Amino acid sequence: MKILKVAATAALACAMSASSAFSAGMEFKIHNKSDYVINGFYVQGKDGSLSSNWMNFELNGNETANMKFDYDGDCDIVFVVAWAATDGSEIKGDPTSIDICKADNIYFDGKDATYD
């Protein structure tokens, strides 16, 4: 019985360490280097479906915002930036692969999203 408790504690400690590694990169800045108003940040699932919008605000051109999420998943993600069209609809950009745990900054220039 004592061996099971030790194994369970070790497994829990490993899981917590892994979870911390995943959530460590969930804080970053998004920089809007375009003339568009960014209104969406989505993560693409393996099946191609998009998550709910991670943004609860709009980011005007040449503005920067801090982003923080309670995301518990793989560090390697594919994300999509969206912006407001002149008719009020939302335009979604091309999918971009990223290691979200290593991203400090995400830049959107109106065509591409990059990170460092």
Side-chain angles (χ1 to χ4, degrees):
M1 184 69 144
K2 189 173 185 176
I3 292 174
L4 283 176
K5 285 184 181 179
V6 171
T9 303
L12 180 60
C14 287
M16 289 173 67
S17 295
S19 179
S20 294
F22 289 151
S23 61
M26 295 308 112
E27 292 184 39
F28 57 90
K29 291 184 181 191
I30 186 165
H31 304 267
N32 186 356
K33 300 295 185 186
S34 75
D35 292 328
Y36 300 110
V37 176
I38 295 175
N39 61 5
F41 187 96
Y42 302 89
V43 173
Q44 187 176 49
K46 296 193 186 311
D47 64 355
S49 65
L50 295 178
S51 70
S52 58
N53 189 354
W54 284 19
M55 292 178 72
N56 61 357
F57 61 93
E58 292 185 339
L59 189 63
N60 294 313
N62 297 310
E63 289 185 343
T64 299
N66 293 321
M67 304 268 290
K68 183 177 178 179
F69 302 101
D70 294 326
Y71 176 73
D72 189 23
D74 292 335
C75 289
D76 294 321
I77 65 167
V78 175
F79 73 91
V80 173
V81 173
W83 58 94
T86 55
D87 66 1
S89 64
E90 183 180 70
I91 300 171
K92 291 183 174 75
D94 294 329
T96 302
S97 297
I98 188 174
D99 182 336
I100 196 69
C101 296
K102 293 181 180 176
D104 292 320
N105 298 284
I106 293 178
Y107 306 93
F108 176 70
D109 68 5
K111 293 182 182 182
D112 298 310
T114 57
Y115 77 99
D116 62 17

